[in-house]
Amino acid sequence: MSAPLAFPDLTFLQDYFDDPAGWKAIGDLLKTVFGVDIGPLDALGGHDRSNMPSAYFDAEGRCVANFAAFSMPLVIDGRRVRAAAWQSGAVLPEFRGRGLFRELIRITLERCEQAGFEAIVLYTDKPALYEPYGFVTFREQSFTGPAPAPGNAFATARRLSVENPVDLALLRETLARRTPVSNRIAVCDQSLMFLLNAYLLEDVTLSWLEAEQAVIAWRQPQADRFELLDIVAADIPALDTIIAGLGLAPTIVTVQFPPDRLGWEETASAVDGDLVFMMRGPQALMPQAPFRLSPMAEF
Ligand SMILES: CC(C)(COP(=O)(O)OP(=O)(O)OC[C@H]1O[C@@H](n2cnc3c(N)ncnc32)[C@H](O)[C@@H]1OP(=O)(O)O)[C@@H](O)C(=O)NCCC(=O)NCCS
């Protein structure tokens, strides 16, 4: 890696997440800048081991600017892509406008290129930050349509909690042998973000379907509506089987990932919100059809 720019009042550090003081410092930065608490990761075994953080620290040990990339293999249009995900880009307000983030982007890009990633993906509300580096913006789509007639499955679902050690072990086992939930775009084997999002996302229920050996992440915003966020399983069950297994009878279904493996017709519509999905990589790897990465994989 080429030498990072020196800032006289700051120290540059890489790969510092295993240092307890560094881990606390990044937690403090993310809480200050984004209001996000990464504390639940401690109960889940800490950070993703593939993470490559680069950061500047001040004399008091505060992490004042950080950017990180981690490995997130994806399926995109049926092809397995060795992708990196960029996250935790943040600079403390009093240190902004000095070029710290520009330098961290440069270093993180160089590290990803050296590691041989084929593509990089990120979420942002400021796409202009990344356009100069060749990132392309996608507005994600969710998929809504009439519910299918319930399938033949018995309503045997059991709720799971990430805070229950027995349930957590079952979740980890199932995540380890999952198949991508969509062939259009999905994570291949990322599991830490799923578990963290189970803490962070509001109103998400995790249910276990014993016969299908599947974890279903879902919401029911209204009695007649069913929202499907993710399926963790070695074989993806059909939508009618899931609805019957959960004992629900909705009229409208929204699926928050491409439903190409669910055996169900639908209409795509843009997801609300400020965040856009960006990708950098060869044109041949860019998603070709409407998509959304499951919110349980969001990073
Ligand atoms: C966005 C943020 C990381 C920028 O950090 P910074 O250290 O002030 O940025 P820099 O001084 O290195 O500027 C880098 C470039 O980004 C541009 N930039 C800075 N803030 C920007 C913003 N809010 N929107 C668009 N571009 C911005 C700068 O003009 C500069 O452009 P240049 O390279 O062409 O000169 C910082 O403001 C922050 O932490 N914001 C809150 C969290 C956030 O939005 N994170 C990034 C989104 S994923």
Side-chain angles (χ1 to χ4, degrees):
M1 191 192 85
S2 57
L5 267 185
F7 292 84
D9 52 336
L10 301 175
T11 304
F12 176 79
L13 281 182
Q14 274 186 186
D15 303 336
Y16 64 90
F17 282 0
D18 284 329
D19 167 8
W23 184 239
K24 181 182 178 311
I26 180 64
D28 291 347
L29 176 70
L30 297 180
K31 199 171 268 178
T32 303
V33 174
F34 296 117
V36 169
D37 180 12
I38 58 166
L41 278 175
D42 292 332
L44 300 172
H47 66 92
D48 184 310
R49 308 323 296 175
S50 72
N51 224 314
M52 300 191 293
S54 302
Y56 287 96
F57 285 72
D58 73 3
E60 291 151 30
R62 280 188 309 169
C63 180
V64 304
N66 180 77
F67 208 20
F70 66 98
S71 169
M72 200 175 73
L74 293 172
V75 159
I76 302 178
D77 294 325
R79 184 183 182 284
R80 197 180 158 104
V81 176
R82 201 168 163 242
W86 281 7
Q87 66 171 184
S88 309
V91 177
L92 281 182
E94 59 271 38
F95 290 85
R96 291 180 189 167
R98 297 171 53 175
L100 288 173
F101 197 57
R102 187 187 314 123
E103 183 59 3
L104 292 176
I105 291 178
R106 186 190 70 74
I107 289 164
T108 307
L109 193 52
E110 200 175 292
R111 297 188 76 182
C112 286
E113 281 170 356
Q114 280 173 3
F117 288 109
E118 297 173 277
I120 303 170
V121 296
L122 59 83
Y123 285 97
T124 186
D125 62 350
K126 302 178 184 70
L129 273 176
Y130 304 102
E131 282 159 0
Y133 303 92
F135 282 84
V136 177
T137 299
F138 295 88
R139 168 63 69 180
E140 290 188 302
Q141 312 268 313
S142 60
F143 302 85
T144 299
N152 291 326
F154 293 106
T156 55
R158 173 169 82 75
R159 290 204 175 192
L160 300 176
S161 163
V162 275
E163 281 157 269
N164 174 328
V166 175
D167 290 355
L168 185 58
L170 177 64
L171 280 162
R172 284 188 195 282
E173 270 170 39
T174 316
L175 282 160
R177 54 186 159 78
R178 80 180 301 183
T179 187
V181 73
S182 158
N183 285 320
R184 219 181 280 168
I185 191 163
V187 290
C188 294
D189 48 22
Q190 227 295 323
S191 52
L192 199 55
M193 287 317 304
F194 182 98
L195 297 173
L196 182 60
N197 283 326
Y199 277 98
L200 297 181
L201 291 177
E202 272 178 37
D203 308 327
V204 177
T205 300
L206 301 182
S207 297
W208 172 247
L209 299 186
E210 178 67 28
E212 289 71 26
Q213 297 281 294
V215 176
I216 312 298
W218 61 284
R219 287 192 189 111
Q220 194 167 27
Q222 296 163 23
D224 63 339
R225 296 202 160 232
F226 173 64
E227 194 182 325
L228 180 58
L229 280 75
D230 206 354
I231 303 165
V232 184
D235 293 303
I236 301 296
L239 185 58
D240 59 354
T241 305
I242 293 170
I243 290 173
L246 294 174
L248 302 174
T251 52
I252 304 284
V253 175
T254 295
V255 178
Q256 301 289 8
F257 55 84
D260 48 285
R261 302 190 69 184
L262 296 183
W264 171 72
E265 294 294 325
E266 76 326 287
T267 307
S269 53
V271 172
D272 288 340
D274 298 334
L275 291 186
V276 294
F277 181 90
M278 299 189 87
M279 179 164 160
R280 179 186 196 270
Q283 183 56 37
L285 296 186
M286 296 286 168
Q288 296 301 309
F291 71 89
R292 176 177 192 178
L293 198 62
S294 159
M296 300 304 289
E298 218 170 283
F299 50 90

